[in-house]
Amino acid sequence: MFSRTIPAFVLAVVAMLVAAPVGAQVVQANYPLTVDLLDTTGTYGPVMLTGNAGPAPAPPTAGGVCHNGNYYFSGGPGQDIRSPDISSLDATDFQIDLEFNITALGPGTMPILMMGNGWRWIGLYVQPTGTLGAKHNNSNMTWSTTTVAVGTWYSASLRFESGVLQIDLNGVQIHQDLAIGALNTGNDMCFTTNDFSNGNAYNGCIRNVTLTND
């Protein structure tokens, strides 16, 4: 008579498959930025608030953390809101979620959130007209036809997978670009409110920044 006992290694494999189903999202870092500057996963250190020739951004409130719109190296008073390197983030298949509230638009385009202070490999961007888009690989832009207004909180998702970039706003897809190609990260995995390639900075507030992998 054959034994009906299931081998232990088979049970272990089944357990792993149940615990991590294919396509499940894995949070790499989560920064609410409404009470403190900490990553709720406990994996990474706090977001850093710094000022140059002036005060740093104010500590978090229910309204998040806010950047004054001055580029950090502008001669003052520049600011930066920056995370540590999220080194576990897989840049081939990821999603960045955040809430943002723009204080003022223009005079040029500005980042809302940029990945990489040295490489600027992907980031959410906005035009003076309020049109949302994304920057990738330091200098390439792709734009939606959707606009946002100042003084309003929005929820955005910036997704990337297999060379395809997608932007969702308040849960609705507003833009997709099928020809982004590979992202050149230079292992520069922080997020920041400055674009250190063109001297532009965000003018507004952010909160609930979450980075996930599929």
Side-chain angles (χ1 to χ4, degrees):
M1 180 180 294
F2 293 103
S3 172
R4 295 178 181 272
T5 302
I6 300 174
F9 80 90
V10 175
L11 292 174
V13 171
V14 171
M16 286 190 294
L17 291 174
V18 171
V22 175
Q25 288 191 319
V26 179
V27 175
Q28 303 299 329
N30 175 54
Y31 290 96
L33 302 177
T34 54
V35 175
D36 54 36
L37 301 170
L38 302 179
D39 168 23
T40 63
T41 73
T43 307
Y44 296 100
V47 161
M48 296 163 284
L49 307 180
T50 56
N52 181 29
T61 67
V65 290
C66 304
H67 195 291
N68 64 5
N70 293 329
Y71 176 58
Y72 185 75
F73 292 118
S74 64
Q79 294 184 337
D80 192 24
I81 301 169
R82 189 185 305 185
S83 75
D85 277 334
I86 314 299
S87 58
S88 62
L89 186 69
D90 179 358
T92 66
D93 186 356
F94 65 91
Q95 179 172 319
I96 303 168
D97 297 297
L98 73 150
E99 295 178 0
F100 67 92
N101 187 327
I102 298 171
T103 301
L105 290 164
T109 59
M110 69 179 179
I112 296 174
L113 196 76
M114 178 62 63
M115 290 299 298
N117 65 301
W119 287 72
R120 287 85 55 178
W121 49 276
I122 199 165
L124 189 67
Y125 241 83
V126 62
Q127 296 179 353
T129 57
T131 302
L132 279 184
K135 184 176 186 177
H136 59 97
N137 288 342
N138 195 48
S139 60
N140 301 288
M141 309 298 298
T142 180
W143 297 104
S144 74
T145 57
T146 299
T147 59
V148 293
V150 300
T152 301
W153 279 103
Y154 295 94
S155 176
S157 296
L158 183 59
R159 302 177 181 176
F160 179 84
E161 181 178 359
S162 301
V164 177
L165 180 150
Q166 178 178 313
I167 302 172
D168 294 354
L169 187 68
N170 293 341
V172 177
Q173 179 182 318
I174 63 168
H175 185 60
Q176 189 176 69
D177 192 323
L178 305 177
I180 297 299
L183 296 175
N184 301 318
T185 70
N187 293 319
D188 186 2
M189 308 302 284
C190 71
F191 65 76
T192 171
T193 47
N194 281 269
D195 184 334
F196 289 95
S197 68
N198 58 22
N200 290 335
Y202 180 48
N203 193 342
C205 306
I206 58 171
R207 65 188 182 192
N208 294 322
V209 182
T210 305
L211 297 93
T212 60
N213 282 130
D214 284 339

